[in-house]
Amino acid sequence: MKTARSLATSASLNPDTYIYKILPISTEMVSISSDDSLRVLDPPTLELRGAIDGVHDGVTCLSGFRDRHGLTAGRDGLVKCIDLRTRNTTLELSEEKKPAILSTACQENLIATGAELTNSQATITVWDARASKRSLLRYVESHSDDVTDLCFHAFHPSILLSGSTDGLVNLYNTTVTDEDDALTQVSNHGSSIAHTGFMSDHEVFALSHDEIFSIYDTNRSDHVEVPTPAYALGDLRPQLQCEYVVDLVSSGSTGTVLGAGSHSLHQLDVVPLRRGSEWTLDTANTLRLPGAHGEEVVRSLCFSRDGNTIFTAGEDGLVKAWRSPEDPTVTAKAKDSASTDKKRKKQNHSDKDERERFKPY
């Protein structure tokens, strides 16, 4: 196990304000918080570059969209595309009945939103940002409860993944308008979905609110229900000796990692997942963030675009930056420091020799 070192901490927010999510967008680090604000931070220092107060009446979601634009959504039923340079809203979307939005995803010009269960419908809506007057697609029957997470496939932008508190993880072909025909795969995780996403070109993961983790194979024919996962890792808490799992994220050079937190021990472990003959937790290469966010829960975890810096945000209202001790910039600084110390000691020793040489009897 390695131990990360803290690089920077943001200014604290008002008491009892906590951060929902942080995300690197272009050259900025962007956050949304429980006071309904969007903040833009400088990634190296975490100093505040700007803020938008009241971005939503109950902000819930943050995604990256196009260059220097962020996409937000909220319980007010609105979706906003915000230019991070000017802080202006350049696009606003909403459905007629404006159900509370709990999840968003973006891919090229497509925007997908997942809604809270309203009038017996948990709606997934897909928009084309170039023609935003009306939605392209609405899927209203595939989930029977809140849609908690959405994700487009990185290499096949028409493929959309959804997760819900009904325990289902669904795949859709968004080039198909009929919902029954668009739904290509259903995986029943058996527990309320907190996060879902793509592990590879043909594998998706499901992480439940009670930390049950599984990976499902998508190399199947259309309209096939998947009764069992390809890899069922089960409850991650006893395996990782943690109290909660933040999320799974891509770290660039390391691949996919998950954040395993313990608020009672004041720590967060960043654990890689490895794909050999099967998926495993590479606990031997865990990176520990000591202190983390104290006794408060870590809500969000992400990496800088170069993969060298880890950012965390928590219910203490802070954003923190961390770096692995093996990072080349850290190593270089350590070597420079050691070299300076060595020179200083050598100089001190030389000075002492000179003093001893001319010391009177």
Side-chain angles (χ1 to χ4, degrees):
M1 181 183 292
K2 296 165 288 190
T3 302
R5 74 183 191 101
S6 177
L7 296 179
T9 301
S10 67
S12 60
L13 303 182
N14 292 329
D16 301 322
T17 300
Y18 49 89
I19 298 173
Y20 291 135
K21 187 171 183 178
I22 50 171
L23 193 67
I25 301 176
S26 188
T27 59
E28 282 100 6
M29 181 60 61
V30 185
S31 72
I32 54 172
S33 50
S34 60
D35 61 358
D36 289 337
S37 67
L38 178 146
R39 290 178 172 83
V40 180
L41 307 175
D42 175 64
T45 64
L46 296 181
E47 292 180 355
L48 184 66
R49 285 182 176 176
I52 301 174
D53 295 327
V55 65
H56 286 277
D57 184 7
V59 66
T60 55
C61 307
L62 173 66
S63 301
F65 183 64
R66 296 176 176 171
D67 182 46
R68 302 291 295 272
H69 283 75
L71 189 86
T72 61
R75 303 192 67 84
D76 53 9
L78 300 177
V79 182
K80 296 180 180 181
C81 184
I82 298 171
D83 187 329
L84 298 177
R85 293 163 295 189
T86 64
R87 318 288 189 253
N88 292 328
T89 299
T90 59
L91 177 67
E92 185 171 295
L93 307 170
S94 68
E95 293 198 75
E96 183 179 354
K97 295 183 180 180
K98 295 184 178 180
I101 297 172
L102 305 181
S103 53
T104 58
C106 306
Q107 180 69 291
E108 296 180 354
N109 291 304
L110 295 180
I111 297 170
T113 62
E116 185 178 65
L117 182 68
T118 305
N119 297 325
S120 302
Q121 289 185 343
T123 306
I124 294 173
T125 306
V126 179
W127 313 77
D128 187 333
R130 297 166 297 183
S132 58
K133 295 297 182 183
R134 54 181 299 180
S135 59
L136 285 178
L137 303 165
R138 293 180 77 247
Y139 301 144
V140 299
E141 298 177 349
S142 298
H143 287 295
S144 60
D145 212 335
D146 302 345
V147 181
T148 51
D149 207 2
L150 292 169
C151 182
F152 279 105
H153 196 292
F155 305 110
H156 306 288
S158 62
I159 302 301
L160 178 65
L161 176 69
S162 68
S164 167
T165 52
D166 63 10
L168 300 183
V169 176
N170 295 343
L171 275 176
Y172 311 85
N173 179 355
T174 60
T175 63
V176 179
T177 55
D178 182 81
E179 184 168 356
D180 289 338
D181 294 333
L183 185 62
T184 61
Q185 184 168 304
V186 178
S187 304
N188 190 347
H189 191 59
S191 190
S192 173
I193 301 297
H195 301 289
T196 187
F198 290 93
M199 294 289 290
S200 68
D201 191 54
H202 58 84
E203 292 168 309
V204 300
F205 76 84
L207 176 66
S208 68
H209 286 102
D210 53 359
E211 277 63 51
I212 306 297
F213 180 70
S214 294
I215 298 172
Y216 298 86
D217 187 3
T218 63
N219 275 343
R220 297 171 181 267
S221 59
D222 289 353
H223 305 291
V224 173
E225 292 189 5
V226 183
T228 57
Y231 306 99
L233 279 72
D235 189 344
L236 295 178
R237 288 170 293 187
Q239 300 176 61
L240 299 176
Q241 297 181 357
C242 67
E243 294 165 348
Y244 63 94
V245 176
V246 182
D247 198 355
L248 274 74
V249 297
S250 174
S251 66
S253 59
T254 308
T256 302
V257 301
L258 60 82
S262 175
H263 47 77
S264 63
L265 296 177
H266 299 188
Q267 66 189 31
L268 181 76
D269 289 343
V270 179
V271 185
L273 286 96
R274 303 296 185 198
R275 180 68 159 93
S277 58
E278 60 183 28
W279 283 99
T280 57
L281 298 165
D282 185 9
T283 54
N285 286 303
T286 294
L287 179 65
R288 175 158 293 172
L289 279 52
H293 288 255
E295 62 184 12
E296 301 295 344
V297 171
V298 177
R299 279 292 195 113
S300 187
L301 166 74
C302 67
F303 282 76
S304 59
R305 292 196 175 276
D306 61 12
N308 292 330
T309 306
I310 305 167
F311 296 94
T312 58
E315 294 186 358
D316 56 358
L318 298 175
V319 178
K320 296 186 177 184
W322 311 78
R323 189 162 289 178
S324 167
E326 295 180 357
D327 183 86
T329 58
V330 175
T331 304
K333 288 178 181 178
K335 287 182 177 179
D336 288 344
S337 177
S339 177
T340 301
D341 289 343
K342 187 175 181 180
K343 288 179 181 178
R344 187 180 294 114
K345 287 178 181 178
K346 185 176 180 180
Q347 182 63 46
N348 290 340
H349 184 71
S350 176
D351 292 344
K352 182 179 179 182
D353 288 345
E354 288 295 311
R355 289 194 299 270
E356 291 292 332
R357 180 181 174 187
F358 294 104
K359 185 177 180 180
Y361 293 104

